[in-house]
Amino acid sequence: MIKKTGITILLIILAFSLVRLDTAKANVNRISGENRFDTAVQISLWGWNQSDTVVLANGQTFPDALAGGPLAYKMSAPILLTYKNRLPSETLQEIERLQAKHIYILGGTGAIDATIESILKKKKMKITRIGGDDRFQTAAKIASYLPSKKAIVANGRNFPDALAVAPYAAKNGVPIVLTEASTLPSSTKKITDQKVETIIVGGNGVISSGVESELPDTTRYGGINRYETVRNIIEGLPMEKKRAYVATGTNFADALSGSVLAAKENASILLVKKEAIPTPIKSLVNSYDSFSILGGNNAVSSGVGEKLTGSLEEFRFQGVHLNATEEFLRSSLGDPQRIDESRFSFNWYVYNLDPKKYIQYGVFKGIVVAVYSNSNSWVSQSGLKLGLGKTEVETKLNQIGASHNQTNDYYYDEMLIRTYYDKNDGNTLSGLLLMREDFTITNPDVNITELRNSMEKQILDQANALRARHLVAPLQADAKAQEAARAHSKDMAIRNFFSHDNPDGLSSFQRMDQAGISYSSAGENIAGGQFNAIAVHDAWVNSSGHRKNILSPLFKKLGTGVYFGGEYGVYYTQDFFTP
């Protein structure tokens, strides 16, 4: 049997400040309008103060528009969208704002009706229509405006591959021509026969090896789906990494209009799903310093925006950062296993199914305002992680610009960073608490009973997270041991003593016997004065005897009891045993 005594008293003084809610400051913006036509206008507003030239494409069908990006870039022109038979008022207003004099219309009258051409001519604008009998001829005619030794070949029956390569093609003046999956149209072949080199976008199922054999000096960028193809295009034909544009991969309009703006900034376009970043694209997002989302929430959801924001944050805990929404938290990790009371104005959302990934998020009115973990479940862009020595942790925090105000406390980007170390394990980082500075105020109206219950459960969770890091099986909660532990904490508070033996001379083992607990081995930790479960766990970890109890593979069960009152304000007891 094991018996250990000792106490570490921690007094944590928290600064008072006003509570406020705001969004994350990471560089993610959205360029969007009421619809695709208005989004194209917003993209134009973003990138052009004035332009003599505008490229006009059908905003409802993609075939004639696919090859338009390189042409628009050459003309220093935005791409605006229209209906087949009606010119949207917002599009006309943007043309007039740009003071455009020359309009290039992509496609024949089957794509954009002659009535629209007439409207523009009445505005004293020069019209150049580039259109053929089909999409392949239209792309070939556009290619004639781009005197390059290269050509990019894309499938003309779908749009993602052509749009993914459009910024590179535009920036480098390479025309995009179109093909059938298994047959190279004569209009396309006429163009490619004049080239020294061709780039194929799409796998063999998109453009066959037979078509490839008819093309000069080919390089192929393809994948098992559109998103893997996008990744391979971006990795194989790289642009700068300062910014990436993000558009839906299930509709062409936003990426088409955005391709020229992306080319102007030497930036790539990442295609995503409405509600998710596909796995191949996830591998790219950490390469960029900022993102511009093209289109509204119906095209690319706010959840995707949150994920992009998270990729730019110094600290991400299982993909979730401070200031993320509760909706994003739940969509990323599912519903929490518990919602606990805290000493602060927020609730702890606890995820404890796997001790190796134990984590708790502070949530206030739908916003994540705090996070704590003593498991290997979080990421720091600078390489901060559990197990690093204190000197290395301090160096990394200094490198990101965190200011050091108190022992183990830092302040960075309007948040408190509290570091916890294990002096019995080489003084290495053993836990991390992040909290918005405006939430470090203690809540005087906390429900003490609920707080006690929450702290008891968190103490067990944190013990199991520590055991998981040291490859020790988790402890199981035991109701009888919990009642015995609670009774001892209460007794210490009421009778004003601090010891494993109570004033009646009963030891922890005798009290377990009286509680009807049958054990082959047992142990007990006690503490008093610590602010919360995080602080008391840290105190025990830094006391060798208490730490041995927490990590002992002998013990299988645990009861934890918390009581508020007495000289120290709060008392803690852990009763360990093996049946």
Side-chain angles (χ1 to χ4, degrees):
M1 293 187 289
I2 300 171
K3 176 180 178 181
K4 300 293 177 184
T5 63
I7 176 172
T8 304
I9 300 178
L10 252 72
L11 298 178
I12 299 178
I13 302 173
L14 299 172
F16 284 76
S17 59
L18 292 176
V19 173
R20 63 177 174 78
L21 289 174
D22 56 17
T23 57
K25 293 185 176 179
N27 193 359
V28 177
N29 69 287
R30 185 183 291 269
I31 306 173
S32 66
E34 295 296 322
N35 52 47
R36 65 185 62 185
F37 305 97
D38 192 26
T39 293
V41 168
Q42 298 305 316
I43 291 170
S44 176
L45 284 163
W46 186 273
W48 287 264
N49 292 323
Q50 189 275 330
S51 178
D52 290 339
T53 306
V54 165
V55 173
L56 190 64
N58 187 311
Q60 295 178 294
T61 60
F62 66 84
D64 293 311
L66 280 186
L71 173 68
Y73 182 80
K74 181 183 178 182
M75 303 296 180
S76 300
I79 295 178
L80 297 176
L81 305 178
T82 181
Y83 295 101
K84 175 184 175 180
N85 299 307
R86 179 170 65 87
L87 185 64
S89 59
E90 59 264 43
T91 301
L92 180 57
Q93 289 169 8
E94 179 61 9
I95 290 172
E96 292 173 340
R97 183 195 70 84
L98 290 165
Q99 301 174 16
K101 301 176 179 65
H102 193 169
I103 311 296
Y104 283 82
I105 295 177
L106 302 183
T109 55
I112 297 177
D113 193 81
T115 57
I116 291 176
E117 186 175 343
S118 298
I119 291 170
L120 295 170
K121 283 181 177 178
K122 288 179 181 178
K123 298 285 185 179
K124 308 300 182 184
M125 296 174 189
K126 180 181 177 181
I127 306 298
T128 299
R129 185 184 287 271
I130 306 175
D133 294 337
D134 56 30
R135 65 192 71 187
F136 308 103
Q137 285 189 14
T138 296
K141 287 188 176 184
I142 293 172
S144 67
Y145 286 80
L146 299 159
S148 172
K149 294 180 180 180
K150 298 180 183 179
I152 293 171
V153 182
N155 188 302
R157 299 295 175 183
N158 211 341
F159 56 84
D161 301 341
L163 293 178
V165 81
Y168 170 86
K171 186 71 176 178
N172 293 278
V174 181
I176 299 172
V177 292
L178 307 178
T179 182
E180 300 281 12
S182 302
T183 307
L184 186 66
S186 58
S187 54
T188 302
K189 183 171 174 54
K190 184 176 179 180
I191 296 294
T192 56
D193 283 348
Q194 301 169 18
K195 305 300 179 184
V196 174
E197 181 184 345
T198 51
I199 296 170
I200 299 173
V201 288
N204 287 325
V206 175
I207 298 176
S208 70
S209 57
V211 169
E212 183 176 3
S213 68
E214 297 187 58
L215 300 171
D217 191 16
T218 59
T219 303
R220 183 189 290 267
Y221 298 98
I224 60 174
N225 57 37
R226 65 187 62 186
Y227 302 107
E228 189 172 284
T229 295
V230 170
R231 182 194 67 193
N232 292 338
I233 289 170
I234 290 172
E235 290 179 341
L237 302 170
M239 309 284 276
E240 288 185 359
K241 299 296 186 181
K242 292 180 180 179
R243 177 178 297 272
Y245 286 83
V246 180
T248 176
T250 57
N251 195 293
F252 75 96
D254 298 335
L256 171 67
S257 300
S259 64
V260 193
L261 180 58
K264 285 185 69 172
E265 297 191 16
N266 199 13
S268 298
I269 288 184
L270 309 182
L271 299 184
V272 299
K273 298 178 180 179
K274 177 183 176 181
E275 299 289 350
I277 301 175
T279 299
I281 306 301
K282 285 180 182 177
S283 66
L284 298 174
V285 295
N286 287 333
S287 302
Y288 297 98
D289 298 330
S290 60
F291 300 93
S292 289
I293 300 172
L294 304 173
N297 287 327
N298 287 332
V300 178
S301 71
S302 58
V304 169
E306 296 252 24
K307 288 183 172 70
L308 294 171
T309 299
S311 74
L312 300 174
E313 292 288 330
E314 169 64 28
F315 296 100
R316 285 175 290 134
F317 287 70
Q318 298 184 31
V320 179
H321 57 284
L322 250 62
N323 292 310
T325 63
E326 179 186 344
E327 178 185 10
F328 177 68
L329 170 63
R330 290 179 183 270
S331 68
S332 299
L333 300 182
D335 293 335
Q337 277 69 64
R338 290 197 319 270
I339 297 179
D340 285 353
E341 190 80 32
S342 84
R343 288 257 205 177
F344 307 99
S345 55
F346 55 77
N347 290 324
W348 284 117
Y349 282 41
V350 177
Y351 292 82
N352 68 350
L353 278 181
D354 183 353
K356 295 191 296 295
K357 295 181 179 180
Y358 176 71
I359 195 163
Q360 54 190 70
Y361 299 90
V363 178
F364 178 80
K365 292 186 177 180
I367 301 294
V368 175
V369 297
V371 60
Y372 167 79
S373 179
N374 66 326
S375 68
N376 290 317
S377 62
W378 50 273
V379 176
S380 165
Q381 298 278 36
S382 62
L384 193 65
K385 60 182 179 180
L386 298 191
L388 293 183
K390 186 172 183 178
T391 300
E392 191 172 0
V393 170
E394 291 175 345
T395 298
K396 289 186 179 298
L397 288 171
N398 287 330
Q399 286 173 346
I400 67 171
S403 60
H404 193 191
N405 288 2
Q406 300 178 30
T407 303
N408 299 340
D409 277 2
Y410 289 80
Y411 293 87
Y412 169 74
D413 197 22
E414 299 185 353
M415 68 181 173
L416 164 72
I417 304 173
R418 178 159 290 152
T419 51
Y420 298 92
Y421 297 94
D422 184 347
K423 72 179 183 181
N424 295 298
D425 188 21
N427 211 25
T428 54
L429 189 67
S430 61
L432 195 72
L433 170 69
L434 267 62
M435 188 183 302
R436 275 180 34 172
E437 286 186 74
D438 47 350
F439 279 88
T440 57
I441 181 172
T442 304
N443 178 13
D445 298 322
V446 65
N447 183 310
I448 292 298
T449 300
E450 290 299 319
L451 181 62
R452 178 201 68 183
N453 295 340
S454 297
M455 289 169 67
E456 289 173 349
K457 292 171 183 175
Q458 288 169 27
I459 288 168
L460 172 63
D461 290 333
Q462 290 161 25
N464 281 336
L466 181 67
R467 288 169 72 94
R469 285 184 59 217
H470 290 270
L471 306 179
V472 182
L475 296 162
Q476 301 299 315
D478 184 82
K480 288 184 178 179
Q482 181 184 50
E483 288 305 313
R486 279 182 176 177
H488 188 58
S489 291
K490 180 178 180 180
D491 196 22
M492 286 191 291
I494 291 176
R495 294 205 276 179
N496 194 26
F497 72 95
F498 187 80
S499 172
H500 292 284
D501 296 338
N502 67 20
D504 302 324
L506 293 177
S507 70
S508 58
F509 308 105
Q510 291 170 317
R511 295 195 307 274
M512 288 187 189
D513 290 336
Q514 286 186 350
I517 298 170
S518 175
Y519 57 86
S520 58
S521 59
E524 183 174 84
N525 289 342
I526 58 175
Q530 288 77 12
F531 180 74
N532 57 17
I534 298 170
V536 74
H537 173 78
D538 177 64
W540 280 329
V541 164
N542 282 282
S543 171
S544 60
H546 298 88
R547 183 178 184 274
K548 286 179 182 177
N549 278 346
I550 294 172
L551 288 176
S552 174
L554 288 174
F555 297 142
K556 307 300 180 185
K557 300 200 173 194
L558 173 65
T560 298
V562 177
Y563 187 82
F564 291 93
E567 181 180 353
Y568 292 139
V570 57
Y571 290 79
Y572 304 90
T573 302
Q574 282 182 311
D575 283 338
F576 303 86
F577 74 97
T578 299

